Amino acid sequence: MKLRLTLFILIICQLTAFAQDWKSLKSIKLNNLAHQVSIDRQGNLYVSSLNGAIDKYSINGELQSHYSPTKKSSPHIIEAWQGLRVFVFYKDFQEYSFFDRFLSESERYTFGNQLAVSSVSLSTIAADNNIWVLNAQELSLKKIDTNSNEVISETNLNLILKNKTHDFTYIREYQNLVFISDSKNGLLVFDNIGNYLETLPLFNISFFSFKDSSLISIQNGKMIYFDIYTKQKKEVSLPDPSYTFVLMENKRVFLFKKETLDIFELN
């Protein structure tokens, strides 16, 4: 009993010390209100707004590029981790598009033109440059060949979800694994051909990112680190509980509110 109490006290002390070790580097008023965010491999930040505008900021917070859409639509997911191009999914119009690092847009692609895909709830880019699509109505995860529009793999989620009610919020491929957050069932994990692997006990997550082997998110005013391999979880109190997005690059932490980007360093 004493050993358990001692270990508990040590863990609390470590978390408290870490939570207090925030060094503020910069606070920036965003060019547009943050609706979705992403980070590339160089630490550049991408912020999309509800009206479809996209802004690119350097790792130090300087505005580098701006995209103003001719067709007003709200990006549901923006992914910049590939570095040379940025993937954007527009759920309302059932479309996706690619941007270069200067935020010049290529042609938009419509899922409705692909016979294998309909009613896309979430979509993201795969490491092999194909597309993951999740259909919440038919409960399927498909990988689509972007050249032929054919289904490479398909997984039926009906046999996976323990709770038959679901609320899919985000999808991301990382280190040859596909992660789908479901507020009701947890965080579903698949391999890079869509085979189901496990469900992580992470609920009510609307957005997540990664740093090394840790999945990072914000919950109840805390930053959550969850190691995707060891399954160890660590919670860190935020400087301000009203932050909505978190991204990391090395020791830098980028915390977003609707109107501001705050850059911190954790040692």
Side-chain angles (χ1 to χ4, degrees):
M1 183 67 181
K2 289 183 178 179
L3 178 59
R4 290 181 179 177
L5 180 61
T6 302
L7 289 173
F8 177 77
I9 293 172
L10 285 173
I11 291 172
I12 294 299
C13 290
Q14 288 177 351
L15 287 177
T16 302
F18 192 83
Q20 294 175 343
D21 196 17
W22 291 93
K23 179 182 178 182
S24 178
L25 300 180
K26 201 170 188 180
S27 183
I28 300 151
K29 182 174 176 59
L30 293 171
N31 195 39
N32 290 283
L33 299 182
H35 176 62
Q36 292 293 333
V37 301
S38 187
I39 188 170
D40 66 21
R41 295 177 182 179
Q42 289 72 46
N44 297 305
L45 309 168
Y46 298 78
V47 183
S48 67
S49 67
L50 274 171
N51 68 2
I54 302 175
D55 294 307
K56 177 182 177 181
Y57 295 85
S58 73
I59 192 171
N60 296 314
E62 292 96 356
L63 181 63
Q64 292 187 324
S65 302
H66 171 76
Y67 167 75
S68 182
T70 55
K71 182 179 180 180
K72 302 295 182 183
S73 53
S74 177
H76 196 73
I77 287 177
I78 178 170
E79 286 294 356
W81 57 264
Q82 279 195 329
L84 295 179
R85 61 178 186 169
V86 180
F87 171 87
V88 181
F89 167 54
Y90 301 91
K91 182 178 180 180
D92 293 344
F93 291 106
Q94 292 289 284
E95 295 175 339
Y96 67 92
S97 186
F98 292 102
F99 295 79
D100 65 19
R101 59 193 181 94
F102 303 106
L103 294 183
S104 297
E105 184 180 21
S106 69
E107 180 184 355
R108 284 201 188 189
Y109 305 91
T110 303
F111 285 114
N113 294 335
Q114 301 172 357
L115 298 178
V117 182
S118 63
S119 301
V120 178
S121 305
L122 296 173
S123 181
T124 194
I125 185 73
D128 59 8
N129 294 319
N130 291 306
I131 302 292
W132 290 105
V133 296
L134 184 142
N135 184 319
Q137 294 181 2
E138 63 181 29
L139 289 178
S140 67
L141 173 66
K142 296 178 182 179
K143 193 176 192 180
I144 307 299
D145 187 305
T146 53
N147 294 316
S148 66
N149 293 332
E150 295 180 352
V151 177
I152 300 172
S153 66
E154 181 173 2
T155 303
N156 188 338
L157 303 183
N158 259 316
L159 305 176
I160 298 170
L161 301 176
K162 294 181 179 179
N163 187 341
K164 294 308 175 184
T165 60
H166 51 79
D167 178 24
F168 301 113
T169 57
Y170 198 68
I171 184 172
R172 167 78 192 273
E173 181 173 322
Y174 183 72
Q175 295 187 356
N176 290 319
L177 297 171
V178 182
F179 298 83
I180 300 175
S181 54
D182 179 351
S183 296
K184 307 296 183 183
N185 289 276
L187 202 138
L188 311 176
V189 185
F190 304 81
D191 66 17
N192 62 356
I193 57 173
N195 294 314
Y196 170 72
L197 299 177
E198 62 181 330
T199 299
L200 303 179
L202 298 170
F203 302 89
N204 300 313
I205 293 177
S206 59
F207 174 85
F208 57 86
S209 56
F210 292 93
K211 171 67 169 65
D212 299 328
S213 63
S214 290
L215 181 148
I216 305 168
S217 64
I218 291 177
Q219 284 186 312
N220 302 319
K222 292 182 172 62
M223 185 166 66
I224 308 298
Y225 289 82
F226 188 94
D227 192 295
I228 59 177
Y229 300 112
T230 67
K231 308 302 187 289
Q232 292 182 337
K233 182 180 180 181
K234 180 164 61 175
E235 297 183 355
V236 181
S237 295
L238 292 168
D240 185 332
S242 64
Y243 289 114
T244 54
F245 297 106
V246 57
L247 300 170
M248 288 190 69
E249 173 65 22
N250 295 324
K251 294 181 179 181
R252 290 201 173 187
V253 183
F254 306 94
L255 292 169
F256 294 83
K257 298 178 186 177
K258 286 294 182 183
E259 297 183 350
T260 59
L261 161 63
D262 295 330
I263 304 176
F264 293 88
E265 187 174 280
L266 283 177
N267 298 312

